[in-house]
Amino acid sequence: MKRIIAVNSNCYHGYSIEDAIKGIQDAGFHYIELTATKGWTEHVFPNMSFEYLNSVKDKIKQADLTPFSMSGHCNLMDKDRIGDFISNMRLAAFFGCDYIVSSIGEAHLKDNTVISNEKVARQIQTLVPYLEEYKLVLVLENHGDHSTGKIIKEIVDQVASPLVQINYDTANVIYYAGIDPLDDLPACVDRVGYVHIKDKIGGPREWNFPALGEGQIDFGRLLKILDDAKNSSPLSIEIEFTSDGTKSIDEVNAAVKKSYAYLKQLGFDFQE
């Protein structure tokens, strides 16, 4: 099954968007997920000048890349951050993206009361008119308090909009919940609209996300789960290395190239 296979510019955390564009192009990819995560990786951001954002847009086009998605993570349960997320939606529309990615955020109030999935879904529903306006699909990432596909599916089902789907992160379910994605993905695959394809070494809370094929995740079997469900969701590669970070841009470029070669070897069919 042909599918979009992209690289998340967050692989180049600590480096420039220009570095990311060149490295992704050189590795042979044709799609990029732009990162606009406040305080973490601000490769593009709403407060950047229109002139600069246009220059980034031009460089992406010159590199024969399509910016089809944006990682615009905000705490969607914090009403003070909703304005930031709407700005990220506008930015995604500016770049012509089809998807915007975010985790939900912490599911606790200041008094540590746990917010129900129903209340989370109602909060997400308030974003649907903006998704309609900017022609975007919001894909919610399994992360933190909502680390399994099963939990995210419960919320997405209650939102009940085709514009809100799951972004399944293959390594986060191990990092946060200690669960094998092969055991978790089948329970939510019918609501998965996007996949962060990320490898993992070690167990829960061990920050080690290497190039694809260097960790413990069986991506061949994960692909079969998607294919068997006739799920053609795009895949976006995310490499976050270890908590020590990377030694040089060459290390990042090498990891991106290794990931491309690994997926080719597995028989992944790239859409160009």
Side-chain angles (χ1 to χ4, degrees):
M1 181 180 295
K2 279 196 173 183
R3 62 181 76 237
I4 288 172
I5 301 180
V7 178
N8 189 337
S9 76
N10 187 53
C11 297
Y12 288 82
H13 173 70
Y15 302 95
S16 71
I17 185 59
E18 290 81 8
D19 288 330
I21 291 167
K22 186 176 187 309
I24 293 167
Q25 176 194 27
D26 288 347
F29 292 94
H30 293 278
Y31 292 87
I32 183 171
E33 176 182 331
L34 298 170
T35 307
T37 304
K38 188 174 185 178
W40 180 248
T41 303
E42 300 178 5
H43 278 157
V44 293
F45 214 66
N47 63 1
M48 292 176 173
S49 74
F50 182 64
E51 180 181 11
Y52 178 68
L53 291 172
N54 266 318
S55 75
V56 172
K57 202 173 186 180
D58 290 341
K59 286 170 185 171
I60 291 170
K61 184 176 181 180
Q62 290 161 10
D64 194 25
L65 293 174
T66 299
F68 82 112
S69 65
M70 179 171 291
S71 183
H73 285 271
C74 288
N75 182 351
L76 301 181
M77 300 315 297
D78 182 350
K79 292 183 179 178
D80 292 337
R81 292 297 311 280
I82 295 301
D84 290 340
F85 192 64
I86 292 169
S87 293
N88 280 349
M89 284 194 257
R90 291 190 183 112
L91 185 62
F94 169 79
F95 278 99
C97 297
D98 298 316
Y99 299 88
I100 187 160
V101 183
S102 183
S103 50
I104 291 170
E106 296 307 309
H108 298 82
L109 301 176
K110 290 180 180 178
D111 62 0
N112 284 327
T113 301
V114 177
I115 304 171
S116 69
N117 286 346
E118 183 181 358
K119 288 183 178 178
V120 172
R122 285 205 300 267
Q123 175 74 352
I124 302 299
Q125 282 172 333
T126 66
L127 299 173
V128 171
Y130 297 99
L131 296 170
E132 292 172 343
E133 179 179 356
Y134 297 116
K135 297 179 174 59
L136 292 167
V137 174
L138 167 59
V139 285
L140 297 172
E141 181 173 289
N142 52 310
H143 187 279
D145 290 336
H146 310 93
S147 57
T148 67
K150 181 181 177 182
I151 292 172
I152 299 289
K153 175 180 162 61
E154 290 174 4
I155 293 166
V156 167
D157 282 346
Q158 290 183 57
V159 175
S161 169
L163 299 182
V164 180
Q165 301 174 19
I166 296 172
N167 168 42
Y168 195 85
D169 188 300
T170 57
N172 281 359
V173 68
I174 301 173
Y175 182 82
Y176 290 104
I179 295 173
D180 190 323
L182 291 171
D183 297 327
D184 184 51
L185 179 58
C188 66
V189 69
D190 61 319
R191 290 293 182 266
V192 170
Y194 195 94
V195 180
H196 270 169
I197 185 168
K198 182 164 71 178
D199 215 338
K200 177 80 172 74
I201 293 174
R205 302 291 171 171
E206 184 174 349
W207 191 278
N208 195 338
F209 308 103
L212 300 186
E214 294 186 350
Q216 65 210 50
I217 295 178
D218 189 335
F219 290 107
R221 288 176 64 192
L222 282 172
L223 175 65
K224 188 174 187 309
I225 292 170
L226 293 171
D227 283 349
D228 287 350
K230 295 182 171 50
N231 184 316
S232 59
S233 295
L235 312 179
S236 182
I237 296 166
E238 188 170 28
I239 308 164
E240 294 187 292
F241 303 94
T242 68
S243 56
D244 293 331
T246 56
K247 298 182 181 66
S248 70
I249 187 70
D250 292 338
E251 184 179 356
V252 184
N253 287 334
V256 172
K257 287 178 180 177
K258 283 179 184 176
S259 298
Y260 182 93
Y262 172 75
L263 293 179
K264 278 286 193 183
Q265 182 183 351
L266 277 184
F268 276 71
D269 197 355
F270 288 66
Q271 179 177 319
E272 297 184 0

